[in-house]
Amino acid sequence: MCDWRRLPPTLLRICSRGGRWWRQTFRPTPLTDEDVETTSGITEEVEGGLVEHRIIFVNRPQPSKYCSNHISTAKYNMLSFVPSFLFEQFRRYSNIFFLFIALLQQIPDVSPTGRYTTLVPLVFILSVSAIKEIIEDVKRHHADNEINHRDVEVLRDGHWLWIQWRNVVVGDIVKVHNNQFFPADLIILSSSEPQAICYIETSNLDGETNLKIRQALPDTAHLLETKDLTQFTGTLECELPNRHLYEFTGILKETNKQTLPLGPDQLLLRGAMLRNTSWIFGLVVYTGHETKLMKNSTSAPLKRSTVDKLTNTQILMLFFILIVLCLLSAIFNEIWTKEHARTDWYIGIDEMINLNFGYNLLTFIILYNNLIPISLQVSLEVVRFVQAIFINMDIDMYHEESDTPAMARTSNLNEELGQVKYIFSDKTGTLTRNIMDFKKCSIAEQIYTLADNPNDTQLVKNLQSGHPSALYLREFLILMSVCHTVIPERSKDTIIYNAASPDERALVRGACLFGYVFDTRTPHHVEISALGTRERYEILNVLEFTSSRKRMSVITRNSAGEIKLYCKGADTVIYERLSPDGQQFREATLRHLEEFATEGLRTLCCAVANISEEAYEEWKNTYHKASTSMQYRERKLEDAANLIENNLTLLGATAIEDKLQDQVPETIAALIKADIRVWVLTGDKQETAINIGYSCKLIVHGTPLLILNEDSLDSTRETIARHSSEFGDQLGKSNDVALVIDGKTLKYALSCDVRRDFLDLCVSCNVVICCRVSPMQKAEVVELVTSHTKSITLAIGDGANDVAMIQKAHVGVGISGVEGLQAACASDYSIAQYVVVTVCLKAGLVTNAWTWLTHLAIWGSIAMWFIFVAVYSNFWPVIPVGAVMLGMDRMMCTSPVFWLGLILIPFSTLIADVSYKVIHSTAFKSLTEAARESEIRKTDPGNVIMRETRHSPLHAIGQLSRFTWHGTDEDRITSPLCCSHHRNQCRFYTRLTETARLLKNVRSVFSFNRRSATRVNMEVELSHGFAFSQEEGGAVTQSEVIRAYNTNLPKPGGM
Amino acid sequence: MASEDSEPQRVLSGESVESWDMKRHASSAFKQQRLPAWSPVLSPATVLPVFLVTGAILIPAGVALLFLSETVGEHRIAYTYCPQYFQENRTFGERNCAVVIAETNETCHCAYNFSLKRSYRAPVFIYYQLSNYYQNHRRYVNSRDDYQLRGKLYDRVSSYCAPYDYDDEGRPIAPCGAIADSLFNDSLRLELRWLGHPDNETEEDAEEQEEQVAGRAAPPLDVPLPMDVPVLRTGIAWPSDKQRRYANPPGNLTAALAGFAKPRSWRRHVYELDPDNEDNNGFVNEDLIVWMRTSALPKFRKLYRRVDHSREPFADGLPAGNYTLHVEYNYPVASFSGSKVFIVTSTTAVGAGNQFLGAAYVTCGCVCMLLGAMFVALHLRYRQAAAFMVTVERETPYL
């Protein structure tokens, strides 16, 4: 399938050519000259550069050997472990330095210290890291193995064999069943569905929620049985493996037949999943690391925390200081030696052999090597390791249902977690569950909700009791059950709905729950069971959904012969098509729409129109002409549809919930409270994305939206500049504005000269939503922020399309559990649910409380020192080290001076520290300390907050908002107390924030009134929560799909 | 076949069932990091008493220490450039011993008269102090053979001993190394000339001026004067060193050391160090052991002798009176501008005289008291301020 928006023009041309070719062959017409040209064009290329192509022989052994389907995401294998591990380790300056010192110490007579004082700790560090790496890599190997050992059915020598994924080779014919992942990149040959179509879910690859349709070539669609397949011979030529997900060109040459072109419509990518299709037969073209998915995965970069980078640079600096010190020391040593050599007879320097400068320098380097603390590395490493264990053990991050605890996959980023400033979140699977549910509807000025039983619902009751609006209710339900392109499938007693659009499926299921069960579709009819009575509607026309039309309609003829047009779509487009007398529910429905939208529900407006036989006949001709026109067909079809979608009568509106993950709004609220910016990067449509923004409270009602939808670099630059200037001096500061940008504009916005301005604009907005972005764009956005702001970024996602972004961010978090472990594998931390993020971030916060462990550590280390002295003082002569230390313990402990000093020194050294803290906490108390103190005194922290307000003059709005912010921050600390004991204070507090909010809004009115003009249309529409996702411009149009199905006929078994 | 909303097929679901409950960790307070914690809030009110109490303890302790160190008697005689003294005819030579030793390398004698204005309480120790002497030199410190010093004699000595490892004939030196070679070999003898009562002290005695002329004999009491102050050559080294670090080879010491040369600077063999006490010879000689514990700073004092308090009139310590210090000057330090000092001193309960510790205690205590007073002021000021703030009306409008 071609996505028209993302491809460069040349490819677009190829695609459209392919597409047109498609449609023509689909209605069996002979090849036109143009098509021959196309085909020969490709062949010429083949001849021009034979090496550039891959030729696969079907049902014959392959002459050349291809990459195996075994994949490995692990960093090391048995052989490569030692060299690559060492390489990785010795990229740290400190390790190189320690190695250097350790080697120097092996030279006798140079070292003033023992031979192994550096080597032993170094080996210890390296082995700890090695063990850690091994454990982590073994896990990766396990994950890989799990994937490599999945089973798939493959046709070998005329028999179907279950083999493991890793054994699948290029040229194999595989059979993939419903809800299974494709084991490799396949060319679809045939499927269980009519006309060899199949549905695939690619949310793992590109994040789009709707299902996509792929269709086999009609020439191979007949290959429904094993014997057909075994007799099928030919060659398939295709381009070499590449990373372009939306591009594919190839030709299939069946023996003794004409060559056929293959395009992306026939390609089933690894990582996608077969949906709503019993089975497909596919020919393997790319395997293992040559699949498009694997080509898109980049090797995990070595992420290093800021502390790591800091220590690395500081170690460099220390090394410099060390060298200077050593040089100075060596020079002074030279001078001293010169002076003393003759006179200090007792040392015997005169007779010393090694008196040269370089030798002394080395000695000093060893002597001073403690300047670069090896213990720093060891303790950092150990602390992080323990932290990681604690993260893994944390019960707050444990997800009961999927039995997944949080997992810290790399422990060296723990300290970053507490400093995260930007969170980049994927939508599907991360924020939402990718489940759409019908929630409620508004019909004839009344809102109806679902009940357990259809007959219990108010709707059905009203319908049966002959409520005045019963007629509208009936029409509405018919619309819900008829106006769609869903394919029903009976399995035993239940009906399964296969739909390319999850919204439509939700609607049909909604209708079911109101007693209007849609169960049969034939090429020209649909049958429903309306509260038990069977009704049959002839589908005359389907006017498809496109994002520009924002609506879809179905023209039906009921059994009485009346022609009706059912239309559903965005409120804006429906409202402008209402007939003068069909506007009866206009205001009420609009109110309800707003209500739904506030709850974050996806809304659709529903309307119906009666069409007279004559009018229909006339329109039918127009439409037919449009659909057969050679030029501007799409525009003409649109115009034709416009003609009949008129004089509508408004029935009401539906509300569908895009189910969020648990507690997402709460989590987002907490994050926003913590002054963390949340960006949503999604492959989904703009409307959907904004809708989710509302439903997870990322955007609240009244938040101004900046929408960037431009189609050229110039206009993008201009728009960004305009918005930036409108911000004025608020640019770069945090503003309560949401920025929405789509992938196409993003492409321009990320180009070199604009990206800086774009970033400034983004940083000025509290919320940024990027929709229809490709995985690479996600990564680019993350990289932009990561490299240009000094803040720590965190990316969170669940699918393969998030991998790049996860790898680019400072901290990558993968959601594990549901499906596809790619994201979790690439991440630094994997968690089960979005809600866990807050807990995870809390892990990084500083604590200065003393637990018994702290006490243990403090007193224990003092005790350890004594024990160490006692032991070390008794080594000699049992262990041949430390002769000089012998008996030191006794001498020390019997010396009163030592004990007196031991008392004095801690006191005298702590005086300064304690006094500073006391003075600071008294005279320059921070609000946190004040609140905590009063909490300890069992008094009211509200007073403290109040006191603070007295201090800050509230005349300036800016300051007020800052204060509010302060307060919220505080609230987090004191909230339990605040809410349980001091209602009064809370009320006061709420009032205060409310005032602040109002004031802020006043400000936004002032600063944004100019912009509102450009934005108004979009906003009205969006505020009503319209969202609908369906594939556009796909391989097969929806109307063609429904015409192909007859659910009364059994499907082929595929054997 | 197609089922909506159904979970994707889980290939390895069997495994995850097995590990059920394994992944969930115990909810113990430790594992969930919910241990009871104590967070110190440092406010004047809490810190104040601590400071005041600390000050109140430290100041008296410091005063006591100062007082104790005052009671220590110590007498020092710098004798680096002492004039040569001929014992035979009791006259002084033209040159000082530093010059004599440098020119002739022969033992030079010198003597100092001094008086102690008050008696030193037992136990009394005699030290020698060297300055500008780098016993801490890196090569010097290592220049010894620990195995040899434990009596394990080999023909090869540790390479660290070089260049004091073999003599010109190739015999290994025992004990080898620079430390042993540079053993302090002055001999210091203290003679009591006149036993004086504290009341009889003259004005010039009080000044403790060293008298150059000997023989102004005082009336003897019940002991024959002049007499040597009896001293002990043992019990001056660390017991652990003597017991475990140093040992003589088994059997006859002289025989065992037959194949070994004496250190070049030494006048005697290692088995002749103590002519009086056979057990204090060889590697376990305490003078050697003391010297082998190298000092960290270029100015250091080492214990030389203990006064033997078993005999009168030294039972209670070193009595006040006139003394003569007789020095057998062997050790050259003038070449590197070093100095040698003879020190006779008593000790206290907290060791030798140490002004610093007492002073540090007093200073620290004073600082604590001062800060305590400051915190009182701070506390008073800010408590008042806090009280004022609480009286603000809750309903006070804020805009």
Side-chain angles (χ1 to χ4, degrees):
Chain A
M1 184 218 62
C2 279
D3 190 325
W4 306 80
R5 291 153 183 267
R6 292 187 206 157
L7 299 179
T10 44
L11 280 156
L12 213 62
R13 223 177 305 126
I14 295 175
C15 275
S16 65
R17 252 198 272 176
R20 215 170 314 152
W21 181 86
W22 228 153
R23 262 160 232 161
Q24 275 148 14
T25 29
F26 193 70
R27 310 179 189 94
T29 46
L31 287 177
T32 61
D33 287 359
E34 191 194 321
D35 296 318
V36 172
E37 235 176 69
T38 317
T39 330
S40 60
I42 295 173
T43 358
E44 263 167 35
E45 273 172 38
V46 175
E47 282 156 7
L50 241 134
V51 247
E52 299 286 310
H53 281 66
R54 165 177 285 199
I55 300 171
I56 300 160
F57 295 88
V58 185
N59 275 330
R60 264 182 291 165
Q62 307 302 320
S64 50
K65 212 165 156 48
Y66 299 111
C67 172
S68 101
N69 202 31
H70 182 275
I71 59 146
S72 161
T73 55
K75 263 168 147 178
Y76 312 106
N77 61 36
M78 287 287 192
L79 283 176
S80 75
F81 179 76
V82 173
S84 49
F85 170 76
L86 288 181
F87 174 72
E88 201 79 346
Q89 287 299 316
F90 287 110
R91 273 164 59 176
R92 285 188 183 164
Y93 297 133
S94 58
N95 283 346
I96 300 179
F97 176 76
F98 294 135
L99 182 72
F100 170 66
I101 295 293
L103 290 179
L104 277 188
Q105 281 181 341
Q106 304 312 307
I107 308 172
D109 231 24
V110 166
S111 168
T113 54
R115 279 185 111 169
Y116 304 108
T117 46
T118 308
L119 194 65
V120 172
L122 181 67
V123 168
F124 176 73
I125 300 179
L126 291 184
S127 23
V128 168
S129 314
I131 290 167
K132 222 177 75 185
E133 288 286 317
I134 290 173
I135 292 173
E136 280 169 9
D137 212 47
V138 164
K139 280 184 202 152
R140 281 187 213 109
H141 275 291
H142 276 302
D144 288 344
N145 273 343
E146 193 266 318
I147 291 166
N148 287 330
H149 285 80
R150 286 184 190 169
D151 289 322
V152 68
E153 234 174 322
V154 169
L155 185 67
R156 292 264 167 94
D157 306 321
H159 301 286
W160 288 103
L161 299 175
W162 283 96
I163 64 163
Q164 288 172 341
W165 276 27
R166 58 186 173 142
N167 297 327
V168 171
V169 293
V170 172
D172 271 344
I173 291 171
V174 297
K175 180 178 180 183
V176 180
H177 295 270
N178 194 20
N179 291 335
Q180 280 186 349
F181 285 106
F182 299 113
D185 288 355
L186 312 174
I187 291 293
I188 178 169
L189 295 174
S190 58
S191 84
S192 60
E193 308 303 301
Q195 293 169 4
I197 62 170
C198 73
Y199 295 90
I200 61 169
E201 184 183 294
T202 56
S203 66
N204 220 355
L205 289 166
D206 55 18
E208 289 183 37
T209 40
N210 51 291
L211 300 184
K212 297 198 177 123
I213 299 174
R214 294 285 188 272
Q215 189 177 32
L217 294 176
D219 305 68
T220 60
H222 63 275
L223 302 170
L224 294 176
E225 286 174 46
T226 314
K227 65 173 187 341
D228 299 333
L229 280 174
T230 44
Q231 282 159 11
F232 177 70
T233 52
T235 56
L236 190 149
E237 285 178 37
C238 59
E239 57 190 6
L240 288 182
N242 57 48
R243 59 188 312 171
H244 307 292
L245 286 178
Y246 305 106
E247 295 164 28
F248 177 76
T249 47
I251 47 170
L252 181 69
K253 193 172 187 322
E254 212 179 325
T255 318
N256 304 326
K257 286 199 184 153
Q258 210 159 13
T259 45
L260 306 165
L262 293 168
D265 287 344
Q266 284 80 44
L267 190 64
L268 307 174
L269 295 178
R270 180 176 184 146
M273 190 190 257
L274 188 66
R275 287 286 194 185
N276 298 349
T277 311
S278 300
W279 50 263
I280 59 113
F281 291 135
L283 178 68
V284 178
V285 282
Y286 303 128
T287 46
H289 287 276
E290 289 178 349
T291 56
K292 303 221 176 218
L293 173 72
M294 295 307 285
K295 282 269 172 191
N296 267 295
S297 69
T298 45
S299 66
L302 179 72
K303 278 193 199 170
R304 307 171 68 181
S305 67
T306 344
V307 173
D308 253 352
K309 284 178 201 150
L310 201 69
T311 44
N312 219 16
T313 47
Q314 284 185 343
I315 278 168
L316 262 190
M317 207 170 71
L318 281 174
F319 185 72
F320 177 72
I321 295 174
L322 175 77
I323 293 295
V324 171
L325 269 181
C326 291
L327 273 174
L328 281 179
S329 297
I331 291 167
F332 284 116
N333 177 51
E334 202 83 337
I335 295 170
W336 189 93
T337 310
K338 280 242 162 65
E339 265 178 23
H340 288 257
R342 277 176 301 104
T343 56
D344 290 17
W345 53 271
Y346 53 93
I347 302 174
I349 306 174
D350 277 350
E351 291 155 85
M352 274 182 210
I353 326 116
N354 310 316
L355 200 68
N356 72 62
F357 184 78
Y359 232 68
N360 280 325
L361 190 67
L362 291 183
T363 305
F364 279 115
I365 290 176
I366 297 175
L367 197 60
Y368 297 160
N369 82 73
N370 284 0
L371 199 64
I372 296 171
I374 195 164
S375 60
L376 177 82
Q377 298 282 333
V378 181
S379 34
L380 269 182
E381 202 79 1
V382 170
V383 164
R384 285 164 175 168
F385 192 69
V386 174
Q387 277 178 340
I389 293 175
F390 271 114
I391 289 177
N392 296 352
M393 285 195 303
D394 203 311
I395 211 147
D396 288 343
M397 293 193 265
Y398 171 78
H399 187 230
E400 198 84 45
E401 286 137 55
S402 61
D403 187 35
T404 350
M407 195 165 78
R409 300 169 55 88
T410 40
S411 52
N412 53 356
L413 295 169
N414 295 342
E415 64 266 20
E416 303 283 293
L417 285 174
Q419 309 170 33
V420 168
K421 173 83 181 150
Y422 290 93
I423 291 183
F424 298 92
S425 174
D426 173 44
K427 185 186 82 70
T428 318
T430 308
L431 295 176
T432 66
R433 297 182 196 190
N434 204 9
I435 298 173
M436 304 271 186
D437 270 341
F438 178 81
K439 264 286 169 227
K440 43 184 144 183
C441 56
S442 151
I443 316 168
E445 303 190 333
Q446 198 173 345
I447 293 180
Y448 297 96
T449 50
L450 294 170
D452 295 338
N453 192 322
N455 293 324
D456 294 345
T457 56
Q458 191 61 40
L459 200 161
V460 177
K461 281 179 191 160
N462 282 354
L463 194 62
Q464 288 173 334
S465 65
H467 192 267
S469 64
L471 191 66
Y472 294 109
L473 296 178
R474 190 180 137 74
E475 288 293 352
F476 190 88
L477 289 176
I478 292 173
L479 183 145
M480 272 172 72
S481 51
V482 169
C483 173
H484 52 71
T485 56
V486 176
I487 316 289
E489 186 178 330
R490 275 177 188 282
S491 77
K492 296 183 189 107
D493 293 333
T494 54
I495 300 169
I496 293 157
Y497 295 114
N498 298 330
S501 157
D503 292 276
E504 284 196 336
R505 184 163 69 189
L507 285 181
V508 174
R509 294 182 75 197
C512 255
L513 295 170
F514 285 127
Y516 273 64
V517 185
F518 162 65
D519 55 9
T520 310
R521 185 185 281 283
T522 60
H524 296 286
H525 291 89
V526 292
E527 281 177 34
I528 60 170
S529 151
L531 295 168
T533 41
R534 289 207 72 80
E535 294 180 14
R536 192 177 150 98
Y537 294 88
E538 188 184 349
I539 303 293
L540 298 173
N541 290 89
V542 176
L543 307 175
E544 282 187 48
F545 176 87
T546 66
S547 47
S548 60
R549 274 164 46 81
K550 294 198 179 101
R551 63 188 184 273
M552 76 84 75
S553 312
V554 168
I555 303 171
T556 63
R557 194 204 302 270
N558 64 13
S559 39
E562 294 166 348
I563 298 176
K564 276 192 180 157
L565 177 135
Y566 295 102
C567 180
K568 63 175 195 281
D571 50 338
T572 42
V573 289
I574 301 284
Y575 271 49
E576 66 189 30
R577 287 178 173 76
L578 294 181
S579 67
D581 48 346
Q583 307 204 352
Q584 172 175 7
F585 314 126
R586 193 186 171 102
E587 298 309 320
T589 308
L590 200 60
R591 232 181 14 254
H592 290 157
L593 278 172
E594 258 169 51
E595 195 179 304
F596 294 156
T598 322
E599 292 169 46
L601 300 170
R602 301 157 71 102
T603 61
L604 284 173
C605 268
C606 302
V608 67
N610 286 311
I611 296 166
S612 65
E613 193 70 44
E614 305 81 58
Y616 175 71
E617 283 303 325
E618 191 190 330
W619 175 81
K620 200 172 126 187
N621 286 333
T622 324
Y623 187 73
H624 183 76
K625 230 181 268 169
S627 59
T628 50
S629 75
M630 295 307 287
Q631 280 173 316
Y632 312 118
R633 186 186 297 163
E634 300 206 354
R635 180 139 46 97
K636 282 183 180 166
L637 275 174
E638 217 173 279
D639 292 342
N642 261 339
L643 287 176
I644 195 135
E645 287 168 336
N646 243 324
N647 288 322
L648 303 175
T649 308
L650 185 66
L651 292 173
T654 58
I656 295 166
E657 183 190 33
D658 189 355
K659 272 222 158 134
L660 294 179
Q661 300 278 8
D662 280 346
Q663 296 177 44
V664 164
E666 291 88 337
T667 310
I668 300 251
L671 293 176
I672 290 178
K673 237 184 186 181
D675 203 13
I676 292 171
R677 307 280 186 82
V678 181
W679 292 30
V680 175
L681 309 178
T682 174
D684 241 328
K685 288 194 180 61
Q686 188 161 310
E687 296 85 18
T688 318
I690 294 172
N691 203 281
I692 288 300
Y694 279 109
S695 70
C696 63
K697 306 281 186 291
L698 195 59
I699 317 172
V700 288
H701 233 68
T703 309
L705 293 176
L706 292 186
I707 293 165
L708 302 182
N709 280 330
E710 309 295 336
D711 8 333
S712 75
L713 180 60
D714 289 332
S715 59
T716 307
R717 188 190 293 126
E718 195 185 303
T719 318
I720 289 174
R722 197 180 69 238
H723 286 310
S724 300
S725 64
E726 276 172 21
F727 271 111
D729 56 347
Q730 288 296 308
L731 190 70
K733 293 173 193 155
S734 140
N735 293 286
D736 197 9
V737 179
L739 179 84
V740 182
I741 184 165
D742 69 348
K744 193 172 41 168
T745 320
L746 194 62
K747 192 178 84 192
Y748 300 119
L750 288 176
S751 59
C752 293
D753 57 332
V754 194
R755 62 192 311 167
R756 190 70 234 187
D757 296 331
F758 173 62
L759 183 70
D760 288 340
L761 185 64
C762 286
V763 169
S764 314
C765 301
N766 269 349
V767 175
V768 176
I769 296 176
C770 304
C771 23
R772 297 201 75 86
V773 289
S774 66
M776 285 330 279
Q777 277 183 317
K778 283 186 180 184
E780 273 176 61
V781 171
V782 173
E783 199 180 10
L784 178 71
V785 177
T786 305
S787 55
H788 283 84
T789 66
K790 293 275 171 274
S791 322
I792 308 287
T793 55
L794 180 146
I796 178 166
D798 70 326
N801 58 330
D802 306 316
V803 169
M805 140 174 122
I806 284 172
Q807 288 177 343
K808 278 285 186 302
H810 284 122
V811 184
V813 176
I815 304 255
S816 60
V818 186
E819 64 192 49
L821 286 168
Q822 285 101 328
C825 284
S827 63
D828 306 310
Y829 299 91
S830 69
I831 55 177
Q833 285 263 294
Y834 192 73
V835 59
V836 166
V837 173
T838 41
V839 188
C840 206
L841 295 184
K842 244 186 281 168
L845 296 178
V846 187
T847 166
N848 56 359
W850 289 26
T851 63
W852 64 263
L853 279 169
T854 327
H855 283 283
L856 185 76
I858 293 172
W859 309 118
S861 58
I862 295 176
M864 278 303 287
W865 184 82
F866 276 97
I867 292 168
F868 176 75
V869 168
V871 171
Y872 195 26
S873 304
N874 289 297
F875 272 172
W876 180 265
V878 184
I879 302 164
V881 287
V884 186
M885 279 299 290
L886 185 71
M888 198 62 93
D889 52 343
R890 236 178 298 170
M891 293 308 287
M892 190 184 75
C893 294
T894 52
S895 162
V897 176
F898 168 74
W899 295 108
L900 287 169
L902 193 70
I903 296 166
L904 182 72
I905 290 169
F907 267 114
S908 54
T909 46
L910 281 175
I911 283 177
D913 204 36
V914 171
S915 329
Y916 169 77
K917 278 196 175 147
V918 169
I919 293 169
H920 194 266
S921 72
T922 315
F924 315 100
K925 200 177 292 191
S926 81
L927 197 52
T928 319
E929 280 161 334
R932 194 193 300 151
E933 210 177 293
S934 61
E935 205 172 326
I936 288 165
R937 283 204 223 105
K938 305 272 186 290
T939 54
D940 185 355
N943 292 334
V944 179
I945 296 166
M946 227 178 338
R947 200 191 313 159
E948 188 71 9
T949 55
R950 285 285 295 194
H951 285 312
S952 51
L954 298 181
H955 303 301
I957 292 161
Q959 260 170 328
L960 174 65
S961 56
R962 203 178 320 133
F963 159 68
T964 327
W965 173 234
H966 243 283
T968 349
D969 194 83
E970 211 44 62
D971 190 27
R972 236 181 335 157
I973 299 161
T974 59
S975 57
L977 205 143
C978 176
C979 292
S980 54
H981 302 304
H982 302 277
R983 294 263 163 66
N984 206 10
Q985 282 305 302
C986 276
R987 223 180 303 135
F988 142 76
Y989 179 72
T990 332
R991 201 159 56 81
L992 203 65
T993 38
E994 187 64 31
T995 325
R997 200 175 64 78
L998 284 173
L999 271 169
K1000 259 197 227 166
N1001 283 355
V1002 170
R1003 184 187 50 157
S1004 37
V1005 167
F1006 280 123
S1007 52
F1008 296 116
N1009 53 356
R1010 273 171 300 156
R1011 204 178 307 138
S1012 52
T1014 59
R1015 227 179 36 239
V1016 66
N1017 291 338
M1018 201 67 190
E1019 207 182 329
V1020 166
E1021 177 179 302
L1022 293 166
S1023 65
H1024 297 160
F1026 160 73
F1028 188 79
S1029 63
Q1030 185 164 50
E1031 191 191 20
E1032 293 167 40
V1036 188
T1037 62
Q1038 290 300 321
S1039 39
E1040 282 163 359
V1041 169
I1042 61 162
R1043 298 293 183 210
Y1045 271 92
N1046 186 345
T1047 54
N1048 291 330
L1049 303 177
K1051 287 182 182 181
M1055 271 301 171
Chain B
M1 286 284 273
S3 76
E4 46 194 294
D5 299 348
S6 77
E7 282 279 346
Q9 210 166 331
R10 276 230 166 145
V11 179
L12 274 186
S13 57
E15 193 184 284
S16 63
V17 169
E18 271 172 29
S19 55
W20 187 262
D21 276 355
M22 300 288 281
K23 291 179 189 167
R24 189 196 163 107
H25 286 276
S27 56
S28 72
F30 170 72
K31 286 181 176 174
Q32 299 308 320
Q33 301 179 70
R34 293 201 183 106
L35 296 170
W38 173 67
S39 172
V41 175
L42 299 174
S43 70
T46 49
V47 175
L48 225 163
V50 177
F51 269 68
L52 292 181
V53 169
T54 311
I57 293 169
L58 289 188
I59 294 178
V63 170
L65 283 172
L66 280 177
F67 175 76
L68 269 177
S69 89
E70 275 303 304
T71 63
V72 169
E74 182 175 301
H75 191 86
R76 311 159 57 89
I77 297 168
Y79 68 94
T80 320
Y81 298 100
C82 66
Q84 192 172 21
Y85 176 72
F86 299 105
Q87 277 179 317
E88 312 82 65
N89 49 15
R90 300 195 160 199
T91 52
F92 290 97
E94 299 286 307
R95 300 174 298 177
N96 65 42
C97 279
V99 178
V100 174
I101 201 80
E103 286 177 359
T104 65
N105 200 21
E106 278 173 10
T107 308
C108 170
H109 292 271
C110 58
Y112 279 95
N113 286 342
F114 65 97
S115 54
L116 299 180
K117 61 177 178 176
R118 56 190 171 93
S119 38
Y120 290 0
R121 285 167 61 94
V124 176
F125 299 97
I126 296 168
Y127 291 88
Y128 58 89
Q129 176 183 298
L130 299 179
S131 65
N132 204 17
Y133 194 103
Y134 292 91
Q135 248 200 330
N136 56 5
H137 191 279
R138 181 170 75 80
R139 307 194 61 87
Y140 183 87
V141 168
N142 285 332
S143 185
R144 56 169 212 274
D145 186 339
D146 281 317
Y147 288 96
Q148 193 187 50
L149 293 171
R150 276 181 63 220
K152 308 251 187 285
L153 298 177
Y154 302 106
D155 286 345
R156 290 192 57 80
V157 295
S158 163
S159 62
Y160 286 111
C161 279
Y164 301 100
D165 42 1
Y166 303 99
D167 72 349
D168 299 335
E169 296 156 35
R171 288 182 302 168
I173 293 172
C176 76
I179 316 177
D181 188 79
S182 58
L183 176 69
F184 180 78
N185 59 356
D186 278 3
S187 104
L188 307 168
R189 182 166 60 85
L190 198 56
E191 186 185 51
L192 174 63
R193 271 188 298 107
W194 184 78
L195 197 60
H197 297 286
D199 317 35
N200 294 353
E201 281 178 61
T202 56
E203 276 303 306
E204 61 265 40
D205 281 341
E207 285 298 308
E208 295 196 352
Q209 281 172 346
E210 283 133 23
E211 291 170 47
Q212 299 247 324
V213 184
R216 201 181 64 171
L221 297 173
D222 49 347
V223 283
L225 287 177
M227 69 174 290
D228 278 0
V229 175
V231 290
L232 299 170
R233 301 171 74 110
T234 53
I236 56 172
W238 294 13
S240 56
D241 276 0
K242 179 131 184 167
Q243 286 155 17
R244 295 167 63 191
R245 194 173 162 196
Y246 297 91
N248 280 330
N252 185 296
L253 190 58
T254 321
L257 287 166
F260 290 83
K262 68 175 168 55
R264 274 171 236 169
S265 314
W266 288 20
R267 286 157 205 259
R268 287 178 286 186
H269 267 287
V270 69
Y271 44 82
E272 297 160 346
L273 285 175
D274 190 341
D276 305 328
N277 184 354
E278 197 55 39
D279 293 336
N280 194 25
N281 262 328
F283 300 122
V284 293
N285 177 271
E286 295 206 15
D287 285 337
L288 178 67
I289 295 176
V290 168
W291 181 254
M292 293 298 290
R293 241 191 211 277
T294 51
S295 131
L297 297 171
K299 182 179 174 183
F300 56 90
R301 62 168 69 170
K302 284 187 185 293
L303 188 53
Y304 183 64
R305 297 287 182 263
R306 294 187 295 148
V307 173
D308 183 0
H309 294 294
S310 61
R311 286 164 59 184
E312 286 298 332
F314 305 104
D316 296 330
L318 201 59
N322 291 343
Y323 292 86
T324 304
L325 167 69
H326 292 280
V327 180
E328 270 181 46
Y329 197 119
N330 293 319
Y331 205 70
V333 294
S335 65
F336 51 86
S337 330
S339 73
K340 298 193 283 191
V341 181
F342 159 85
I343 299 165
V344 57
T345 179
S346 64
T347 61
T348 65
V350 290
N354 191 339
Q355 298 271 341
F356 176 79
L357 199 61
Y361 263 69
V362 171
T363 317
C364 191
C366 288
V367 169
C368 281
M369 283 302 225
L370 258 172
L371 283 170
M374 205 177 88
F375 291 152
V376 171
L378 261 181
H379 179 61
L380 289 178
R381 172 163 153 39
Y382 278 92
R383 194 187 52 181
Q384 214 170 17
F388 166 73
M389 283 303 171
V390 173
T391 59
V392 171
E393 281 267 309
R394 277 173 183 167
E395 310 308 324
T396 309
Y398 288 93
L399 278 172

